[in-house]
Amino acid sequence: MRGILPALVTCALVFALVGDVPPRISAAAPATPDVAGLVVSYGDGAFSYATVPLDGERLDGLALLKASGLSVLAIDFGGYGQGVCKIEVVGCDVSACRMRLCQTASADSPFWRFLVAGDGHWALSPLGASGVTAKAGQVYGWAWAGGTGAPDDLPLPTLDEVMTRSGFERDATSLRPALANQGRIPGSLDEHPAWDRYGAAGCILVAMGAGGLILVRRASSRRGEAPS
Amino acid sequence: MSGVTTFDVRAWMVWGTSAFLIALLARNPFVLVELGIVALTVRFACVPPERLAGIGWILRVAPLMLAIGVVFNVLTVRSGDRVLATLPDSWPVIGGDLTWNAFAYGVVSALALFVLLLVGTTLGALMRWIDLTRILPQRVAPLAVAGSVAWVFLPELSRSFTDIRETMALRGIPLRGPRSFLPLVVPLLAQGLERAMTTAEVLEARGFGGRPVRAGSRRAGGMADLALIAGLVALAAGSYDLVSGGRIAWPILFAGGAAALGTGLLRRPVADAPRTRYRLARWRWMDTATCAGSVAVAAIFLWRWIAQPAGLGFDPYPHLEWPPVDLPMMLVMPLLALPAAIVAFGPGDDR
């Protein structure tokens, strides 16, 4: 019996120690998932949240944005990398982007800026999206905003919040990017004209062509009647 | 009263400014096609037959412009949701996705260039150099005369070249290689110098470039110079604002600059040399109507461009969709064809 008691105590201590380990492991695993979060602010109270699995790939900030499933218009700036002109329907066209990256002469003129979530704040990335390698567990931001520094209205969620808002399936066997929009993206596709406007435009063009033909024929006949 | 109607050159300048404004700023295919129809109508209705060159060469140039615009755009812009083909990424510069979006934008850019060319050639056929020279202020008249003389030299140079080459061929001197051009260049240069001397003597005999008879007050000259400088500064600032994407300030700066430049040129004391005019241009109701229509179109275009720029553009990135339709702009554009309507149905020319 004397030999049993110390053995039981030892076993109890060992079990207590060993039993303490699994919770530590299970708590650490979801803290560093192999995904990166994205927050996109369209400048009008509309946001997109995306979670992108990295799968060990080396993605830069722009590749991460494209992998999220958002439509991106970006053009090459040679050694400076690529510049983002438009995300979804917010931004500028290629010619304005080539000239000045969507900015006008105004200091508050917006452009797409790339941000990295830090300790309780957003920080502008000095290297730009092409020069940053996405890290697992990190949240990145894109904001259509002017001025200097990070925009005030850009929320700073944790990666867990981004995963939740984007509808990311943590327990799926194969991780897939998740994307969700919050609010209505300004200038969305449903603002485009209906088909009746195209019909009207076609009628105007046909009428212009027919009218032009009549005018030219009439002018030619009058010139023909004129004494030379 | 004859059936031929001619407009004042100033009216055509206003018409051209309005048409150029639209051709330069709009990228909407509907608006561009409509402007092209207007330009063709005005071209064939208003240009006198003796100055009406065919548009065959423009139509021959159009496919080239289309090809350049499309190829350049497709190879340099890789964005868009409709992939046409994919070049290997290992290919430098051109590797990557080629998209229908870039193709569509290239086609619209080529269309804009074609319409611009059409408007420019139409305006060139509608206006005569001599009429432009007549409306210039006295201060810039010598510059216009010098430009006119230089312009006339070009066809004469071409004729001299042909004459000398034929003379050389008659004497058995063929043109083979760069060395054989030496005997051609020397007489060509001699003829050019002789022609220049003759022209200079003719101009001198007519008092061209003489000293001003009445120089005007120094104070008036100083004010005019200030107005000229202010006008140039305003135009430069307006250009900067336009290039840097401003939408409000540049029209004001351009208008103010043009007004200041005009004031400076008109108020500047000049030589009191009389000008001989054998035919006085008269401003008539049809010129007023043309100007009013053109200004109305330009004003509405600028209003739409500032208020709803997307309606006058075409942006196929990142989604390729049908371009927007700006009905107010399309409905007002026929006013630019007013000169053609006047020629076709107006009372005719009584100049």
Side-chain angles (χ1 to χ4, degrees):
Chain A
M1 276 300 284
R2 261 190 286 169
I4 291 172
L5 191 61
L8 284 173
V9 170
T10 306
C11 282
L13 282 170
V14 167
F15 276 121
L17 287 171
V18 171
D20 200 24
V21 172
R24 278 189 191 168
I25 293 169
S26 62
T32 55
D34 195 17
V35 297
L38 265 179
V39 181
V40 180
S41 167
Y42 298 98
D44 200 17
F47 300 96
S48 288
Y49 293 94
T51 307
V52 182
L54 298 177
D55 296 331
E57 283 186 57
R58 188 181 167 84
L59 297 179
D60 63 27
L62 197 65
L64 184 76
L65 178 65
K66 288 178 177 173
S68 70
L70 289 163
S71 296
V72 179
L73 172 61
I75 56 171
D76 206 4
F77 281 91
Y80 292 107
Q82 290 200 310
V84 172
C85 314
K86 190 187 281 184
I87 300 177
E88 290 297 303
V89 288
V90 177
C92 63
D93 62 12
V94 174
S95 55
C97 195
R98 275 199 181 116
M99 280 195 285
R100 49 184 188 272
L101 260 177
C102 305
Q103 280 200 290
T104 63
S106 167
D108 296 328
S109 175
F111 64 100
W112 277 111
R113 51 182 61 199
F114 180 60
L115 304 116
V116 182
D119 297 327
H121 67 279
W122 286 107
L124 283 170
S125 167
L127 294 176
S130 298
V132 168
T133 303
K135 292 178 187 167
Q138 180 72 51
V139 176
Y140 298 93
W142 287 91
W144 176 251
T148 55
D152 298 330
D153 60 343
L154 184 64
L156 183 57
T158 62
L159 182 63
D160 279 338
E161 288 169 337
V162 172
M163 286 194 284
T164 305
R165 289 179 195 179
S166 64
F168 183 69
E169 296 175 13
R170 301 163 194 247
D171 303 328
T173 49
S174 61
L175 298 180
R176 286 185 298 182
L179 173 68
N181 295 326
Q182 177 189 310
R184 189 174 167 285
I185 298 171
S188 292
L189 306 180
D190 56 355
E191 283 186 359
H192 280 266
W195 286 105
D196 55 343
R197 292 179 76 94
Y198 291 116
C203 289
I204 291 172
L205 290 181
V206 170
M208 278 296 296
L213 208 60
I214 292 168
L215 291 180
V216 169
R217 279 177 175 269
R218 169 86 177 158
S220 299
S221 67
R222 290 190 81 184
R223 267 201 299 264
E225 291 161 13
S228 58
Chain B
M1 190 171 75
S2 78
V4 179
T5 308
T6 51
F7 291 79
D8 193 286
V9 69
R10 288 164 290 188
W12 284 128
M13 286 176 74
V14 175
W15 182 89
T17 305
S18 182
F20 272 131
L21 188 74
I22 298 168
L24 284 169
L25 296 180
R27 281 294 175 276
N28 186 290
F30 293 114
V31 173
L32 288 172
V33 168
E34 194 176 8
L35 181 62
I37 294 172
V38 166
L40 281 173
T41 305
V42 170
R43 181 186 186 91
F44 287 110
C46 301
V47 177
E50 66 272 14
R51 278 190 273 152
L52 185 63
I55 59 166
W57 71 273
I58 303 178
L59 293 177
R60 280 195 294 275
V61 167
L64 185 69
M65 290 192 295
L66 183 71
I68 291 172
V70 168
V71 170
F72 177 78
N73 214 56
V74 166
L75 290 180
T76 55
V77 182
R78 300 311 165 74
S79 295
D81 57 344
R82 309 279 176 93
V83 176
L84 167 67
T86 304
L87 298 178
D89 286 331
S90 56
W91 292 11
V93 182
I94 60 170
D97 286 341
L98 311 180
T99 62
W100 283 109
N101 307 58
F103 182 89
Y105 196 79
V107 170
V108 173
S109 299
L111 175 67
L113 206 59
F114 177 72
V115 171
L116 198 66
L117 190 65
L118 202 59
V119 170
T121 52
T122 302
L123 198 64
L126 286 165
M127 296 195 301
R128 293 191 308 161
W129 181 276
I130 189 67
D131 292 335
L132 277 174
T133 311
R134 279 185 185 136
I135 63 163
L136 284 174
Q138 186 79 2
R139 174 61 54 185
V140 268
L143 194 68
V145 172
S148 177
V149 168
W151 195 250
V152 167
F153 269 19
L154 288 176
E156 289 196 5
L157 190 74
S158 170
R159 268 197 297 274
S160 297
F161 178 84
T162 310
D163 290 346
I164 295 167
R165 196 185 56 190
E166 286 174 355
T167 309
M168 286 171 66
L170 280 172
R171 293 176 184 179
I173 309 171
L175 281 176
R176 285 181 193 152
R179 277 176 179 275
S180 59
F181 274 90
L182 194 62
L184 191 144
V185 169
V186 174
L188 197 65
L189 195 65
Q191 278 197 8
L193 284 172
E194 192 180 330
R195 196 178 302 115
M197 289 295 290
T198 310
T199 309
E201 283 172 6
V202 168
L203 289 173
E204 185 68 25
R206 295 179 182 188
F208 180 77
R211 289 176 64 82
V213 178
R214 178 174 59 81
S217 73
R218 179 172 292 188
R219 181 182 169 79
M223 293 301 286
D225 286 345
L226 274 179
L228 282 175
I229 292 168
L232 288 172
V233 169
L235 287 182
S239 303
Y240 173 75
D241 188 58
L242 178 65
V243 170
S244 59
R247 291 197 169 272
I248 306 293
W250 68 263
I252 300 166
L253 285 167
F254 275 166
L261 269 181
T263 307
L265 285 171
L266 293 173
R267 293 297 173 91
R268 194 178 166 82
V270 294
D272 202 11
R275 255 182 176 182
T276 307
R277 287 193 170 91
Y278 296 102
R279 196 179 76 175
L280 291 174
R282 277 197 299 133
W283 186 267
R284 297 175 302 166
W285 68 269
M286 55 186 67
D287 302 316
T288 307
T290 300
C291 281
S294 304
V295 168
V297 171
I300 289 173
F301 175 80
L302 285 175
W303 164 57
R304 303 295 298 169
W305 197 64
I306 290 167
Q308 282 201 328
L312 295 172
F314 173 55
D315 193 3
Y317 306 109
H319 304 289
L320 181 59
E321 294 178 327
W322 284 88
V325 176
D326 194 320
L327 280 180
M329 190 62 223
M330 289 191 74
L331 286 171
V332 84
M333 284 262 286
L335 284 177
L336 278 179
L338 208 55
I342 292 170
V343 169
F345 296 105
D349 210 341
D350 56 351
R351 284 174 199 255

